[in-house]
Amino acid sequence: MAASPSTARAINDRLALRLLQQEGPLTAGQLKQLTGLSRPTVADLVERLTAAGLIAVAGEAGEQRRGPNAKLYGIVADRAHLAALDVRTEGVTVIVSDLVGGVLAEAALPITGDAGTGPAVEQAVALVERTAKEAGADRLHTVGIGAPGLIDPASGELRDSTGLPEWHRRLVAVLQERLPEARVIVENETNLAALAEQRDGAARDRDTFVLLWLGHGTGAAVILDGTLRRGASGGTGEIGFLPVPGTRGLPSATDCGGGFHSLVGAAAVAELAEEYGVVAEPGTEPPAAGAVRTAVASAGPASPSGPASPEARFLDALADRIAVGVASVVALLDPGHVVLGGEVGQAGGEALAARVRDRLAALSPLPADVRPSTLGGGAVLRGALLTARDQAQDELFGVPGH
């Protein structure tokens, strides 16, 4: 069945807007070439989108050219302002951007564990408000939040989780109260990191892959056939609870101790480093990630003719542990591609990924490439901003009046 004229116009307008988002300002002639639409159709959509306040002339393609095709059209970036939050147990980072994702202001605030729920929430909300003001945003259209923990698939809310601060859950509700005109979206941090890696990082153009988060906590994000999979209860990727060999016991419904987390969580990695005498350089980096980074810098290439250094043996032992969990994921999902993210995955880089890749080849009959994150610690914030931007554009690019 052929689309109605109004539906066809909406499809064409969305296509043009997506191209302007991806490519930046374009001339009418370039839009015609990229969309395959006729010149009159492109002229009509340019007129509609300009009247709707979504695009505007952003310059000219070249001084030698004249006429309507020489004009460059771009999305009106300040049509809406967005915020993205990376919420951690020890603090929060905020960025405010325009509609096309250009960052206008950024700030971070440590929040101590003894701050109390009310004061912690107030500090975080005030940080968002100050950052928005600094960015010149009178109001926020959409706020994307990345946080550890499970997201209820029915309500979209952060579920109460043992071991996570109460202020995380309360923050979402208070932000919505203080920003009544904004749409507030919360998503698991590992899921957001995976979306960012798929769009801009190590899994670019991959329809199926798994991101293994190695940091303070342990988790995984699963993207199959281009879609993020959350599971019936929102718990897809809770790999920290996976029973694996090499631990002192088994996990329980309320404690991942004894699961895969006991092998590769930050505390376990720091303890393993200590066993091999690997000491992190003093600094602000978490001890586990610091030890891994120190080991990578000091290990040097493998030497078959002599004994390995303590740093190399530490990385080998850590790769042994990681490969156990990766092999389980690969056997179940066959993703073909695994990204090592989080602080430890970022610190290990290609040196750690290569070791895991070699061990996985010996453990699993299914081929899988193992790569380090290319976005590192900014992946969660990037994913939160992409989610907010997509949500805002989906709403605004509907273009009323079709």
Side-chain angles (χ1 to χ4, degrees):
M1 181 181 296
S4 67
S6 62
T7 300
R9 287 195 296 270
I11 292 172
N12 292 340
D13 290 354
R14 277 178 172 267
L15 175 58
L17 287 162
R18 290 302 180 198
L19 285 169
L20 291 170
Q21 169 66 65
Q22 295 165 8
E23 305 293 334
L26 297 168
T27 65
Q30 289 169 328
L31 282 171
K32 175 183 177 298
Q33 182 179 8
L34 292 171
T35 61
L37 299 173
S38 68
R39 188 178 301 276
T41 300
V42 170
D44 287 344
L45 74 82
V46 166
E47 184 178 350
R48 272 196 310 276
L49 294 175
T50 302
L54 292 175
I55 69 172
V57 175
E60 291 191 358
E63 293 183 1
Q64 304 303 317
R65 301 183 62 190
R66 291 293 182 265
N69 283 346
K71 293 180 180 178
L72 282 167
Y73 296 93
I75 294 174
V76 179
D78 61 1
R79 174 67 185 269
H81 291 96
L82 319 170
L85 283 70
D86 182 1
V87 179
R88 303 294 179 96
T89 55
E90 69 280 3
V92 60
T93 302
V94 179
I95 58 176
V96 175
S97 83
D98 57 31
L99 182 58
V100 296
V103 175
L104 304 174
E106 183 172 359
L109 180 71
I111 297 178
T112 60
D114 58 358
T117 299
V121 170
E122 182 56 37
Q123 290 176 45
V125 173
L127 181 69
V128 174
E129 293 174 336
R130 286 198 305 272
T131 310
K133 183 177 181 180
E134 180 184 341
D138 295 330
R139 60 179 290 267
L140 294 172
H141 183 282
T142 307
V143 179
I145 302 173
L150 299 179
I151 308 300
D152 189 315
S155 66
E157 296 178 353
L158 190 65
R159 288 167 52 180
D160 189 12
S161 300
T162 303
L164 293 177
E166 172 62 27
W167 68 267
H168 284 193
R169 294 185 69 240
R170 182 64 185 142
L171 172 61
V172 178
V174 173
L175 271 174
Q176 191 64 82
E177 292 171 3
R178 295 269 280 269
L179 305 171
E181 297 180 336
R183 181 186 295 272
V184 178
I185 307 166
V186 62
E187 180 59 88
N188 173 267
E189 60 179 359
T190 307
N191 287 345
L192 289 177
L195 292 173
E197 293 287 353
Q198 183 186 35
R199 193 82 67 89
D200 300 326
R204 181 178 292 180
D205 300 328
R206 294 274 181 167
D207 285 336
T208 296
F209 72 97
V210 170
L211 181 136
L212 178 60
W213 185 268
L214 301 168
H216 177 73
T218 308
V222 177
I223 293 185
L224 300 178
D225 300 324
T227 302
L228 176 67
R229 306 294 180 174
R230 296 179 175 85
S233 63
T236 294
E238 285 297 306
I239 195 173
F241 286 86
L242 182 72
V244 292
T247 65
R248 297 186 179 89
L250 290 172
S252 70
T254 58
D255 186 3
C256 59
F260 184 51
H261 177 79
S262 294
L263 293 183
V264 298
V269 173
E271 184 178 333
L272 183 67
E274 188 175 348
E275 290 178 18
Y276 285 90
V278 178
V279 180
E281 293 292 333
T284 59
E285 193 170 34
V292 172
R293 196 178 303 279
T294 297
V296 169
S298 306
S303 175
S305 59
S309 66
E311 291 83 4
R313 289 187 288 117
F314 162 59
L315 291 176
D316 288 340
L318 178 57
D320 287 339
R321 292 184 174 193
I322 295 172
V324 171
V326 173
S328 299
V329 170
V330 169
L332 184 64
L333 298 175
D334 189 19
H337 190 72
V338 177
V339 177
L340 302 184
E343 295 90 349
V344 170
Q346 178 190 5
E350 176 58 25
L352 180 60
R355 285 171 162 83
V356 175
R357 190 163 55 239
D358 291 344
R359 284 152 179 78
L360 181 63
L363 286 174
S364 174
L366 305 177
D369 188 20
V370 180
R371 296 181 182 178
S373 160
T374 59
L375 297 179
V380 174
L381 205 56
R382 178 62 179 163
L385 180 58
L386 287 170
T387 300
R389 191 188 75 186
D390 288 350
Q391 181 67 50
Q393 290 185 355
D394 281 344
E395 180 178 328
L396 293 173
F397 289 2
V399 191
H402 287 296

